[in-house]
Amino acid sequence: MGTDGIGEAEAARDELRAALAGVDVVLPSLGVDLVSLTSAYLPPLVELGCCRADVARKLAAALRRCAAP
């Protein structure tokens, strides 16, 4: 896998982190998936990771606001 794919995954991670911060949501495990970096078959993946229940609810609320007509 070329470094351009890694850079794209890192840029996507950073963009998502910034967007989430804009709605006061922090996903502490947000990162680039290390296993996918070593795969010959997968592109580098962005791993969303785990979060507390209150953070998941805050994220769900932000998504609902964005999806509201």
Side-chain angles (χ1 to χ4, degrees), residues 3 11 34 44 47:
T3 57
L34 298 178
E47 183 172 4

Side-chain angles (χ1 to χ4, degrees), residues 3-4 9-10 13-14 21 25-26 33 36-37 54 56 58 60 66 68:
T3 57
D4 58 334
E10 291 173 333
R13 174 208 55 208
D14 295 345
V25 172
V26 175
D33 176 61
S36 68
L37 294 180
D54 64 309
K58 191 182 290 187
C66 292

Side-chain angles (χ1 to χ4, degrees), residues 30-56:
L30 182 63
V32 176
D33 176 61
L34 298 178
V35 173
S36 68
L37 294 180
T38 64
S39 174
Y41 305 103
L42 292 173
L45 301 173
V46 176
E47 183 172 4
L48 302 181
C50 299
C51 66
R52 297 183 323 258
D54 64 309
V55 174

Side-chain angles (χ1 to χ4, degrees), residues 11-30:
R13 174 208 55 208
D14 295 345
E15 183 178 341
L16 179 57
R17 181 177 286 135
L20 290 170
V23 292
D24 196 32
V25 172
V26 175
L27 297 179
S29 303
L30 182 63

